[in-house]
Amino acid sequence: MKEYKTSQIRNVALISHNGAGKTTFVERALFNTGATTRMGNVQNGTAVMDFEEEEMARNSSVAAAIAPIEWRDHKLNILDTPGFADFIGEVNAALRVVEGALVLVEAVAGVEVGTELVWHAAEQQNLPRVIVINKMDRDNVRAQRALNSVRDNLKGNFVPLQLPIGEGPSFKGVVDLLSMEARLGDKDERSPIPPDMVEAAEAAHMAVIEAAAEGDDALMEKYFEEDTLPDEDIVRGLKLAMQQGLCVPVLYSAPQAGIAVVPVLNAIMRLFPAPDEVGPFTAVAANGDTVEHPVSDSSPLAAFVFKTREDPYGKMSYLRVYGGVVESDSRVWDANADSEVRVGSLQLLRGKEQIPIPRLHAGDIGAVVKLGETGTNDTLCDRGRKLKLEAIQQPPPIAQVAIHPVSQSDVAKLSQSLNRLVSEDLTLHWHTEQATHETILAGMGNTHLEIAVKKAQQKFGVNMTTSVPLIPYRETITRTAQAEYTHKKQTGGAGQYARVFLRVESLDDDAGFEFASEIFGGSISAPFVAATEKGCRQALDAGPIAGYPVVGVKAIVYDGKEHPVDSKEIAFQTAGREGFKKAMMEAGPIMLEPIYMVTITVPSDNMGDIMGDLNTRRARVLGMDQDGTKSIVRAEVPLAEMQAYSADLRSMTQGRGVFSMVFQNYGRVPSHMQEKIAAEARARREEHNTH
Ligand SMILES: Nc1nc2c(ncn2[C@@H]2O[C@H](COP(=O)(O)OP(=O)(O)OP(=O)(O)O)[C@@H](O)[C@H]2O)c(=O)[nH]1
Ligand SMILES: [Mg+2]
């Protein structure tokens, strides 16, 4: 592939609700531009972009993939993203490294929840957007209804740059409102505007000019004087208006049949800014200063790793260059790891295909294998000019599973494979839950987690089973109490003796543990006070009700007794531990459970069902908001009630609801539930001990 300068590059992400035809669009673009000789198909697993095993099995994308499309002396780096909400992490990564987003709206369904989700993600990055009303050839398409759905559900000044010629199976092409001619069929043939559309086209053309004039004051003046604008000015004005968020062009396409795909490629090339047209990039220098440099080959080197993928050939790091030129077979500095890394041979990626290239210019996107310790979000730079680019923002996880390695060899490989999984996917997290001794994998939904587990099997050969995680309860007390404990052992040899008087006081439920001594006059000496504290701390791992960690307690040793010969530190540890448990039992012990702040967004029609359902989940509703046709509820809900929420919400709303959840605090378990939970925990422990 030929080398392209920064100004000839366009980086765009295709984003949409699940299944709006993103991958098919890219397959068509690859085929049309001669990059492939047969058009790939999502359904039969031949799509260049859906090359992961899981994608072929599901006939749907699960990861972002890149297609460099050579088009009229430009290179369009198109990032095809997955539409399924579980993979929003891939969308966020793609949006971070592009200058524009093509938002596909399925022509029959109109705007869907996933459309809104990715729309907001692109909006947060201030990216210029184009709407493509897609799959125009489907039965029952009503183009006007689709456009209305865009206007009703998304915020923006939506300006059609085309009029569709026919709709549904009779979709033939589009009227291009810039050149004022028709583009027909899969050969994109030029033809005059159909006579019955001339009038509508004239009116729509004026609307385009007006939108363009708003992009720039000078253009607006020129437009007022001359009542029209030359073509180059219209494109320039639209581009400026898009960058200021003043205008969102609307196009129509049917990529499966290949109709009106070329005009979309033209729009990408003409309307989205080149990487050097969006102003300088911002980075943090070694001294902590924020610095700016133009996106240019002559700026200091700054290449951002936005994705990492385990490939049969090794670790593949996806790079976006902001400043300077990355050369094959060079040495660069990883500013985050603060170490030198060797760049082997650089590649352009087309799906999984690797095209070796000598260098990657500022603004371009490529990949490199086996980049040492470098991970996603790291910046590669010059050793002498260290620069760090801002990390990709990802949402907190909303689903969890407990994972159990199957065999002894799986146990041995577990943590290493989990580390590799999470380094490939920054919306995936794992930890060992101290309260339940379970290994927890957390992510963006059940499908996300299922795929991660499969990946561990397929890519790393680790077999594991999953289960619904146990809730990591805590135990605490509700009042002050005291206890006295004497530890005495005087059977032959050296004896042991320790006596302590302890008081426990309740702290905030989310506080940890505190210890104090009120020993005056030396009834126990300092080393034994310390040993008593150590004993109390030993008791924190397993509380007296059901063996969960103890929080929110202050223990005070206020008296005691020691023996000149038989008192030893170990004796005071035992007395501290047992005395603490005894005092806790007297202090109204209760169980605490994790409470999450949950935000649920659903079509307003579903609101009644959602509220009714929340009632059964012990939720405390904090507020409700209306946003267009959507309702948003915020509620505090115990984790124990949220275990299967993503599936439940999907079935309550036919997939039209979304939610997020963030840990908030520990709350009290209602007393009528406590005994049952405690009994189950004890039974589990007994079963565990007998095995
Ligand atoms: N009628 C019609 N069907 C299409 C068109 N484009 C795609 N499809 C079909 O729509 C389905 C989804 O297409 P994809 O290209 O996988 O959509 P996607 O947006 O990549 O889907 P995700 O990656 O799952 O979000 C497939 O069955 C395609 O064959 C089109 O132009 N017309
Ligand atoms: Mg896809």
Side-chain angles (χ1 to χ4, degrees):
M1 192 174 293
K2 150 176 174 202
E3 255 178 78
Y4 291 86
K5 292 189 306 235
T6 307
S7 60
Q8 294 170 298
I9 295 168
R10 300 290 182 274
N11 299 310
V12 288
L14 296 195
I15 56 178
S16 80
H17 185 85
N18 185 23
K22 300 175 295 295
T23 303
T24 305
F25 179 87
V26 180
E27 299 298 323
R28 174 58 68 176
L30 285 167
F31 179 70
N32 269 4
T33 56
T36 52
T37 50
R38 272 184 56 196
M39 190 178 141
N41 181 306
V42 176
Q43 290 310 329
N44 62 22
T46 58
V48 175
M49 293 287 106
D50 280 357
F51 60 85
E52 302 269 8
E53 224 169 295
E54 206 44 51
E55 301 184 309
M56 293 191 265
R58 298 168 55 86
N59 299 326
S60 163
S61 310
V62 305
I66 308 174
I69 307 269
E70 297 188 89
W71 184 243
R72 295 172 59 190
D73 215 27
H74 285 71
K75 184 167 74 160
L76 318 179
N77 288 320
I78 301 189
L79 278 70
D80 176 27
T81 65
F84 196 64
D86 282 31
F87 309 114
I88 187 74
E90 294 283 313
V91 176
N92 291 337
L95 290 176
R96 172 70 168 69
V97 297
V98 294
E99 281 79 36
L102 220 49
V103 186
L104 273 60
V105 174
E106 220 260 4
V108 176
V111 169
E112 298 166 85
V113 193
T115 323
E116 294 180 29
L117 220 62
V118 297
W119 177 263
H120 291 305
E123 195 168 45
Q124 270 168 3
Q125 303 278 336
N126 288 319
L127 286 173
R129 276 150 277 166
V130 167
I131 294 271
V132 180
I133 296 183
N134 203 37
K135 301 207 214 169
M136 276 295 291
D137 60 339
R138 277 193 68 190
D139 284 336
N140 302 319
V141 166
R142 293 284 171 274
Q144 189 58 45
R145 189 175 63 198
L147 181 60
N148 290 346
S149 153
V150 168
R151 291 198 163 124
D152 291 345
N153 293 289
L154 306 176
K155 286 192 194 78
N157 176 25
F158 298 97
V159 182
L161 297 193
Q162 301 173 334
L163 297 180
I165 304 176
E167 55 190 4
S170 66
F171 179 62
K172 285 184 206 55
V174 292
V175 172
D176 178 345
L177 297 171
L178 293 173
S179 65
M180 291 302 273
E181 56 187 1
R183 299 288 195 138
L184 298 178
D186 61 352
K187 301 279 180 304
D188 195 43
E189 279 161 47
R190 286 159 193 264
S191 128
I193 299 175
D196 60 336
M197 294 183 74
V198 170
E199 204 176 315
E202 299 283 348
H205 179 67
M206 289 315 288
V208 174
I209 296 178
E210 271 169 38
E214 281 180 22
D216 182 60
D217 289 345
L219 281 183
M220 189 57 102
E221 260 167 53
K222 193 164 166 182
Y223 170 58
F224 276 137
E225 274 162 28
E226 297 168 19
D227 228 24
T228 184
L229 288 174
D231 284 0
E232 348 42 283
D233 279 349
I234 299 178
V235 171
R236 193 166 62 84
L238 283 175
K239 202 163 157 172
L240 288 168
M242 284 166 67
Q243 276 174 264
Q244 298 164 71
L246 297 173
C247 151
V248 181
V250 179
L251 307 173
Y252 299 87
S253 187
Q256 188 128 291
I259 301 172
V261 169
V262 166
V264 179
L265 297 182
N266 287 335
I268 294 174
M269 181 187 81
R270 299 177 79 190
L271 296 176
F272 286 120
D276 55 0
E277 285 179 301
V278 292
F281 69 92
T282 308
V284 176
N287 63 3
D289 286 353
T290 300
V291 294
E292 289 190 340
H293 295 286
V295 176
S296 155
D297 284 0
S298 52
S299 285
L301 183 66
F304 182 68
V305 179
F306 65 96
K307 179 178 160 83
T308 305
R309 183 167 62 83
E310 294 288 343
D311 190 86
Y313 307 102
K315 187 178 72 174
M316 173 80 73
S317 303
Y318 289 51
L319 299 179
R320 154 76 209 249
V321 187
Y322 286 84
V325 180
V326 187
E327 300 279 351
S328 273
D329 299 312
S330 64
R331 287 178 187 283
V332 296
W333 195 260
D334 180 328
N336 303 72
D338 215 16
S339 64
E340 190 178 70
V341 286
R342 211 186 77 81
V343 175
S345 95
L346 287 166
Q347 331 267 354
L348 292 182
L349 293 176
R350 183 155 60 205
K352 70 174 168 193
E353 185 192 349
Q354 302 175 11
I355 306 161
I357 43 160
R359 63 189 60 81
L360 207 51
H361 291 275
D364 211 349
I365 290 175
V368 62
V369 281
K370 297 203 178 81
L371 204 53
E373 292 301 296
T374 299
T376 302
N377 281 331
D378 286 5
T379 305
L380 304 179
C381 57
D382 286 327
R383 185 171 197 162
R385 297 269 309 256
K386 293 180 190 166
L387 291 177
K388 264 189 221 170
L389 294 155
E390 197 194 324
I392 304 159
Q393 302 289 328
Q394 296 291 13
I398 56 171
Q400 303 190 332
V401 281
I403 54 183
H404 314 280
V406 174
S407 72
Q408 211 46 45
S409 79
D410 295 324
V411 174
K413 284 187 285 190
L414 187 66
S415 65
Q416 195 203 357
S417 331
L418 290 174
N419 284 338
R420 285 170 74 180
L421 274 183
V422 302
S423 73
E424 238 190 78
D425 180 345
L426 297 183
T427 54
L428 210 55
H429 308 264
W430 80 274
H431 70 280
T432 305
E433 182 55 61
Q434 171 221 1
T436 58
H437 307 289
E438 284 188 323
T439 304
I440 303 293
L441 189 64
M444 301 314 298
N446 296 340
T447 307
H448 185 212
L449 296 174
E450 264 165 42
I451 288 181
V453 167
K454 269 197 202 151
K455 209 149 91 177
Q457 270 155 13
Q458 286 161 357
K459 284 193 173 178
F460 314 132
V462 185
N463 290 309
M464 41 203 187
T465 58
T466 61
S467 61
V468 175
L470 299 171
I471 302 296
Y473 292 103
R474 301 275 188 267
E475 297 182 20
T476 191
I477 55 171
T478 52
R479 56 176 185 258
T480 301
Q482 44 201 40
E484 173 270 321
Y485 192 88
T486 306
H487 177 64
K488 192 157 46 169
K489 217 168 108 189
Q490 266 144 344
T491 47
Q496 288 197 23
Y497 181 85
R499 184 168 197 205
V500 294
F501 290 82
L502 289 174
R503 186 169 77 245
V504 290
E505 292 173 4
S506 166
L507 301 176
D508 281 349
D509 288 349
D510 50 1
F513 172 73
E514 287 175 22
F515 183 84
S517 164
E518 289 176 4
I519 300 282
F520 296 107
S523 57
I524 1 180
S525 48
F528 294 150
V529 170
T532 305
E533 175 174 358
K534 204 167 168 193
C536 290
R537 286 188 186 274
Q538 285 166 358
L540 297 177
D541 285 347
I545 307 174
Y548 288 105
V550 173
V551 295
V553 178
K554 179 172 181 174
I556 300 116
V557 56
Y558 61 91
D559 202 359
K561 195 168 172 219
E562 57 185 68
H563 183 275
V565 181
D566 289 345
S567 279
K568 308 196 169 62
E569 284 187 20
I570 187 78
F572 273 93
Q573 273 182 35
T574 307
R577 188 173 64 236
E578 298 307 320
F580 182 76
K581 286 185 192 164
K582 206 171 148 193
M584 262 197 83
M585 283 313 282
E586 298 300 314
I590 52 159
M591 289 177 71
L592 300 173
E593 62 180 339
I595 307 285
Y596 278 67
M597 173 63 80
V598 180
T599 307
I600 308 160
T601 306
V602 295
S604 300
D605 303 346
N606 291 121
M607 205 47 187
D609 292 345
I610 296 300
M611 296 300 280
D613 173 73
L614 281 175
N615 269 335
T616 69
R617 295 180 194 264
R618 298 191 282 128
R620 195 161 80 90
V621 174
L622 301 179
M624 277 187 293
D625 278 315
Q626 198 67 28
D627 181 13
T629 59
K630 296 281 171 311
S631 296
I632 304 159
V633 196
R634 285 187 327 118
E636 293 173 348
V637 193
L639 177 63
E641 305 291 341
M642 288 298 290
Q643 296 277 47
Y645 198 65
S646 65
D648 294 346
L649 181 65
R650 190 170 311 136
S651 70
M652 281 185 288
T653 62
Q654 292 80 45
R656 295 185 301 155
V658 291
F659 78 106
S660 68
M661 59 189 277
V662 200
F663 171 75
Q664 171 147 307
N665 63 325
Y666 271 88
R668 296 181 175 194
V669 173
S671 50
H672 68 276
M673 297 177 67
Q674 187 165 301
E675 190 35 49
K676 183 164 171 274
I677 296 168
E680 279 167 7
R682 284 192 294 265
R684 248 194 329 271
R685 198 158 323 110
E686 254 155 49
E687 190 189 342
H688 186 81
N689 291 343
T690 53
H691 275 94

